[in-house]
């Protein structure tokens, strides 16, 4: 990424990249921050590549707060300074996906969710 930025005349304000609970990309985010670029999660629900809405760790954390696995998956990213763009064609899910800002995950919650990290893209059409 830094090689790419070195060739840019204008530093991007936002970089939308694959990012979800299975591939959080902390190092990339840190590199972006040094350039003043906001990281934004592309496909925060993994485009159906994982059964994220039935993920037991997300469900268990959500139960503590009366939240769904989807909401916890989003809050995990938002709380770490990552913008998210979840897509839904259902109004009630759009409302659900917006209703995350009344929860603050604890360090213990974050550590539990971090167990889902694979360090690998689910899509395979690029690598860092
Ligand atoms: N950069 C770009 O130009 C660009 C362009 C297009 C798309 N994108 C990215 O592509 C993604 C859209 O692709 P995608 O829809 O395949 O991936 P996605 O956002 O990872 O997943 C969306 C799927 O999750 C379902 N869903 C959403 N909220 C839910 C909830 N609360 N509970 C249960 N299911 C829920 C949706 O179903 P329903 O719709 O049936 O609710 C849909 O099937 C966006 O996240 C966006 O970041 C980027």
């Amino acid at each position: 990424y830094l090689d790419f930025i070195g060739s840019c005349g204008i530093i991007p304000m936002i970089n939308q990249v694959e990012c979800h609970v299975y591939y959080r990309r902390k190092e990339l985010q840190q590199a972006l921050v040094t350039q003043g670029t906001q990281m934004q999660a592309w496909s925060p629900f993994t485009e159906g590549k994982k059964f994220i809405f039935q993920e037991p760790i997300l469900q268990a954390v959500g139960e503590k707060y009366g939240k769904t696995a989807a909401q916890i998956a989003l809050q995990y990213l938002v709380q770490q300074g990552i913008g998210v763009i979840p897509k839904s064609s259902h109004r009630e899910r759009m409302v659900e996906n917006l209703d995350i800002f009344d929860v603050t995950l604890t360090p213990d919650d974050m550590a539990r969710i971090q167990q889902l990290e694979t360090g690998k893209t689910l899509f395979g059409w690029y690598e860092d």
Side-chain angles (χ1 to χ4, degrees), residues 1 4-5 12-20 23-25 28-29 32 37-44 47 77 82-87 123 125-126 128:
Y1 173 75
F4 166 69
I5 283 297
M13 293 185 70
I14 294 179
N15 194 0
Q16 189 181 100
V17 292
E18 177 188 353
C19 177
H20 40 74
Y23 191 38
R24 150 78 177 82
R25 312 190 78 180
L28 175 61
Q29 186 189 16
L32 293 173
T37 301
Q38 170 72 43
M39 188 158 114
Q40 192 172 67
W42 174 84
S43 255
E47 285 194 353
L77 301 180
I82 301 168
V84 294
I85 309 186
K87 170 259 169 186
F123 294 87
W125 28 255
Y126 66 89
D128 286 345

Side-chain angles (χ1 to χ4, degrees), residues 54-70:
Q54 285 83 42
E55 186 61 68
I57 287 177
L58 298 178
Q59 288 180 327
V61 172
E63 269 171 32
K64 287 173 55 181
Y65 304 105
K67 297 289 179 186
T68 63

Side-chain angles (χ1 to χ4, degrees), residues 47-99:
E47 285 194 353
K49 297 216 181 287
K50 291 271 193 180
F51 293 111
I52 191 168
F53 305 116
Q54 285 83 42
E55 186 61 68
I57 287 177
L58 298 178
Q59 288 180 327
V61 172
E63 269 171 32
K64 287 173 55 181
Y65 304 105
K67 297 289 179 186
T68 63
Q71 290 170 314
I72 298 300
L74 297 177
Q75 176 62 7
Y76 176 72
L77 301 180
V78 167
Q79 205 167 305
Q80 296 179 87
I82 301 168
V84 294
I85 309 186
K87 170 259 169 186
S88 179
S89 52
H90 292 86
R91 188 178 191 283
E92 65 274 16
R93 287 180 177 165
M94 293 179 198
V95 171
E96 176 185 334
N97 295 342
L98 281 165
D99 181 24

